[in-house]
Each structure stands twice: as C-alpha cells, then as structure tokens.
Amino acid sequence: HFGSSLRASSHPPRLDRRGPRQTCRVSPAMAKKAADSAMEPFGDQSPGCEPYWYQGFPSAYYGPSHVEFRRKCREFVQQEIVPNLEGWLEKRQVYPVDLHAKALARGLPTAGLAKDTQSRYPKEIVPEGGFDALHELIYLDELAAAGPGGAMGQCGINSMALPPVLFAGSPDVQAQVVDDVIAGRRNISLAISEPSAGSDVAAIRATAKREGDHYRVNGQKKWITGGHMADFFTLAVRTGGPGGQGVSLLLVDRRTPGIEIRKMETQFDTCHGTTFITFDNAMVPVSNLIGQEGAGFRYLLLNFNHERLVISVGTCRFARLCYSEALKYSMRRKTFGKELCEHQMIRWKLGEMLRQIEALHDCNERVAFQYKSGVPDSRLGAQAALLKVMASKTFEYCAREASQVFGGASVVREGPGRVVERLYREVRASAIPGGSEEVLLDLAARQAIAGARKFESAEQSKL
C-alpha cells in the first residue's frame, strides 16, 4: 500500500499549514476489486521484461479471451520459431511458409486482425465475443518476443496488403485471394514504394494504361517486403494525372508474364526479406482494379494507420528485449570490483530505457483500444503517426544504451551481446518503413494546425 511505503520511509513526515500529511488508505472493497482484476503472472517475472499485465497487475483492456490467446501465441512461438530461428538465419533461409497454416490450426491469425479481416477467420478459432485489436497487439508482441529475424513476418505483411482488398475490392477480386491467404495457403504483399518515391506515395511513377479489358503495367517497385513469398500484390499504379488523384490499386498475380522479382540484401538479419520488382508490359485484367480508379491513394492513407500500429507493437517488444538483455547482463558482469548494476550510471540507463518502453506500450494499447472501440481510421492519422515515431525513437535509444551496457560484447555477432548486436541493426527498419519519422511528425503537426484553425474559426463564429 502507498501508506505502507510512507511509513517505511526513514524521513519524518513533512508538515504544512494543514498539519501532518495523511497517509493514503485503500478500502477493503477497493483492494478486493483490484485483486479480482489482477492477471495471473505469465512469462518472465523480472520487472520490465514483460508488460505489466503479464506480471500480475490489473488491466482495463484484457479479459479471459486475451489471456487464453496469449497462451496460444507464446506456445506457438516457443515450439515452432525459437528452436529454429537461429538456423534459418545462419543458413540465410526463408522461414517455411507452412508455418502460416500451422498457426491457423492453433487458433492464430495469418493476416492480422484489422477490422475488415477479423470476421474472415474460421469460426472455430474465433474467441467468444470475437477478435479485436487487442488480440492483434498480443499476437504481434508475442511474435516479436522470439527476437529479431523476421520469422512469420509475412503474416504482418498480409495484414497490411489484404485490408484494401477487403474494404474496396469487388467480390470477384476478393475471391481470388482472401480465403487462401486466411487459410495460410497463399500470401500477398503491398507494392507501393519505388526507387524515386518512398514516403511520398503520391509521386509514384509505375503506370497502368488501359488497353481494352486489361491494364498494361510498367515500372519498378523497391523495398517490397515479402515480395519473394507473395502470390499476389496489392499494387499502387498511376492510372491518371500527377498527384494522389491519379493513383489506383490493382490486385496482381505474381505469375503474370512480365514480372521479375529480386530479393535484396539488407542491413539486418532476416529469414523473411525485401525485394525489388520490375513490371515490364505486364497485362493485368481491368476486373482486378481494387475499388474505384483514382481512389487508390485514399485507400492507402486509411490503410497506413493500421500498418503503423503493426510496426509499433513489434518495435516496442524489440526495445523491451534490449532492456531485458541489458538488465540481466548487468547483474552478471563485474567491473571495477562490483556488478555493472551497482554503478549508478548503468542503473540510470536501465531506468530510462524502462520509462520509455512502458510509455510506448501504454500508447500501443491506447491506439489499439481506439480501433476496438470503432474509431474510424480517418480520425487516427496523427495518433498512428506519432505512435510509430515514438516506437522507433524508443527502440533506437534502447538499442544504443543496451549496447553501451554490453560494451565490446555488443559489436560482435557472437557471445553474450549477439542479440543486442542484431537488434541494433534492426533500428532503421523500424524508423523508415511505413513512413519516415520526419514525414510522420510533419503529418501530425499539419493535422494539429488544421484542427486548431478550424476550432478557432468555429469559436470566432459564435461571437
């Protein structure tokens, strides 16, 4: 109790003009309510190494279905990914695609849990009351807990590429891909970025010119994550004039003649990967247009918010892994005659890492709760943008400070610091994809300014 901590203090109670400071007491009813809502401990109970609700603290967000779902996720990761991840990375292999079907068989999603995806899963794996965004947060967090390396990364890409098909695609377009992706038989990647257009999506140059009942597609796409595993692409093309109004989305079968896919080497270790794709006179049926011609940019803007939440959740767990590795190493390693954790500066580093991680996790839960509550994507642009920036900056800080705690052990790919070394090379993959930090901060500021002007104008009109 708060009062107990005050009584245990070695300092006498301070006085003010109102007399002695009163201790804060919790009524028996309040204590029982808190105890009833507390969660059973789960996972690593070292403080900060798991989210608070894993360590027995009450939460307003989670119920029995989330607890059971978490158990399924952890078991799958521990049995199917952790024993194999190092081998896949050392051999530079892509993880087995049949993991998706195995995940589904154990009640886990294969294409995320965005609003339009939740209802497409087999009824037997859907928990009572249905899936929600907090189930997705748990799933993404647990996958990332396996460590860096991209295992099951295509499921995250499926979760970004499938929603436009679901909320804008015709029944015929959906029939080509949705059920097979959900079942874990096929995959789909989002193909937007180009050599000359990354965050500036409205500047894409790949063209789709209509010729009868087909579009002739030409152009290049770069940094297309999972392109080598994808059976389909949600492809952004220019069907009209310059700017966002000229952008459309097409569902493209990778078997279409004229498509060349090349896997690119990356800064980070991965059993997933990213690709460079060339379209050379690829003929795509007009019937594969997703939604309306010229509306693709608008569909993508809505889709980006969920993508940024997906990135932020995994990034938060990577930051937590940095902290966890550093905490435990600091209790083993000795310098100048005492454990690292006995040095005040090392404790400061650990405390500052933990402060940022817990703040980020709280924000992830808040945004997930907005989705669960039905807040439309059109209202979440700034929140999702700031969330992703907070995530990448937190991860960057934790990767740096964990490296400082490990010292020389963090710059070699072996020994006690190998996990932190690998995590450090993941940082830019969190900060740049899904919108760079600079672009997202500008987006949030522009929306804030526009909203403030609108409010001031409304207030002035009342005068």
Side-chain angles (χ1 to χ4, degrees):
H1 295 306
F2 182 54
S4 299
S5 66
L6 284 178
R7 289 193 295 274
S9 172
S10 61
H11 299 286
R14 287 177 287 179
L15 302 178
D16 59 24
R17 285 173 293 180
R18 294 167 294 180
R21 179 176 294 179
Q22 298 298 308
T23 57
C24 214
R25 297 189 181 277
V26 178
S27 70
M30 291 176 62
K32 183 178 185 304
K33 183 177 180 181
D36 290 344
S37 61
M39 300 292 183
E40 289 292 325
F42 181 87
D44 190 339
Q45 294 303 294
S46 300
C49 294
E50 302 276 14
Y52 279 127
W53 73 283
Y54 283 48
Q55 299 188 331
F57 288 92
S59 173
Y61 294 118
Y62 305 104
S65 73
H66 299 102
V67 172
E68 173 62 15
F69 185 71
R70 179 185 61 183
R71 180 192 63 77
K72 291 180 181 179
C73 292
R74 182 65 62 98
E75 284 186 357
F76 178 80
V77 168
Q78 291 296 321
Q79 295 171 11
E80 300 290 346
I81 297 178
V82 171
N84 301 307
L85 179 58
E86 199 64 35
W88 296 332
L89 295 175
E90 287 181 358
K91 297 175 184 177
R92 302 170 70 85
Q93 293 178 338
V94 175
Y95 73 86
V97 72
D98 66 358
L99 276 185
H100 296 184
K102 288 182 178 180
L104 185 70
R106 295 173 72 158
L108 306 183
T110 51
L113 291 169
K115 178 182 176 182
D116 295 294
T117 313
Q118 292 171 9
S119 62
R120 303 303 293 254
Y121 288 98
K123 292 181 179 179
E124 57 269 22
I125 79 163
V126 178
E128 185 177 353
F131 282 125
D132 59 42
L134 291 159
H135 289 98
E136 182 168 41
L137 186 152
I138 293 168
Y139 178 62
L140 296 168
D141 182 52
E142 286 294 325
L143 286 181
M152 293 289 284
Q154 189 60 38
C155 288
I157 299 302
N158 289 343
S159 79
M160 301 172 190
L162 202 60
V165 175
L166 287 166
F167 67 69
S170 68
D172 288 341
V173 167
Q174 293 184 22
Q176 294 182 54
V177 64
V178 174
D179 288 343
D180 281 342
V181 171
I182 293 294
R185 293 188 292 266
R186 291 189 173 185
N187 295 293
I188 183 170
S189 282
L190 196 59
I192 303 173
S193 298
E194 299 180 359
S196 60
S199 294
D200 188 6
V201 176
I204 63 167
R205 297 179 181 178
T207 59
K209 297 182 178 180
R210 185 163 182 171
E211 297 181 6
D213 57 358
H214 283 76
Y215 287 108
R216 183 181 296 274
V217 178
N218 284 286
Q220 297 175 325
K221 295 292 177 179
K222 192 174 184 180
W223 308 291
I224 307 308
T225 306
H228 55 304
M229 296 180 71
D231 300 284
F232 289 90
F233 299 102
T234 298
L235 176 68
V237 291
R238 186 161 300 285
T239 54
Q245 293 183 346
V247 175
S248 299
L249 296 183
L250 298 175
L251 178 68
V252 179
D253 190 322
R254 72 169 290 167
R255 297 170 299 182
T256 303
I259 299 178
E260 180 182 333
I261 303 170
R262 173 174 64 84
K263 188 176 180 182
M264 299 192 297
E265 294 299 316
T266 59
Q267 181 183 46
F268 49 90
D269 295 336
T270 180
C271 59
H272 189 209
T274 194
T275 59
F276 190 103
I277 306 176
T278 302
F279 296 86
D280 184 10
N281 292 313
M283 303 301 288
V284 179
V286 170
S287 59
N288 277 25
L289 178 69
I290 298 173
Q292 299 176 341
E293 191 170 287
F297 186 67
R298 176 164 52 88
Y299 301 148
L300 291 174
L301 287 180
L302 296 177
N303 198 55
F304 282 150
N305 295 337
H306 174 259
E307 177 181 354
R308 288 161 188 159
L309 174 62
V310 170
I311 294 171
S312 296
V313 173
T315 299
C316 183
R317 176 58 83 160
F318 282 174
R320 197 181 291 278
L321 286 174
C322 291
Y323 161 83
S324 177
E325 291 288 317
L327 171 68
K328 293 172 182 179
Y329 183 71
S330 75
M331 295 188 294
R332 299 193 306 269
R333 170 76 164 153
K334 288 187 177 182
T335 61
F336 303 103
K338 56 183 178 180
E339 295 174 343
L340 270 180
C341 62
E342 293 301 315
H343 295 278
Q344 186 179 33
M345 180 51 72
I346 298 299
R347 294 198 299 272
W348 185 91
K349 291 178 183 294
L350 294 170
E352 182 63 10
M353 279 192 273
L354 189 55
R355 179 187 69 81
Q356 294 189 32
I357 291 163
E358 298 301 357
L360 172 59
H361 191 85
D362 286 351
C363 288
N364 280 332
E365 289 179 327
R366 171 177 53 80
V367 173
F369 183 71
Q370 304 309 304
Y371 275 109
K372 178 182 178 180
S373 301
V375 176
D377 264 292
S378 59
R379 293 189 61 199
L380 291 175
Q383 287 194 45
L386 293 175
L387 180 68
K388 182 182 174 294
V389 174
M390 184 179 184
S392 58
K393 285 183 175 291
T394 297
F395 181 25
E396 183 164 24
Y397 179 86
C398 292
R400 181 193 186 281
E401 293 304 311
S403 295
Q404 293 299 110
V405 172
F406 274 89
S410 71
V411 298
V412 292
R413 300 185 183 189
E414 61 181 56
R418 66 186 182 278
V419 174
V420 168
E421 187 278 332
R422 183 175 287 163
L423 283 162
Y424 198 94
R425 289 184 285 112
E426 286 273 352
V427 171
R428 298 269 63 82
S430 298
I432 296 172
S436 70
E437 292 174 350
E438 296 79 6
V439 169
L440 296 183
L441 287 172
D442 181 64
L443 167 66
R446 285 189 288 110
Q447 289 196 1
I449 292 167
R453 284 175 173 164
K454 182 179 180 181
F455 175 75
E456 285 192 359
S457 177
E459 290 295 298
Q460 289 176 3
S461 69
K462 296 177 183 178
L463 300 178

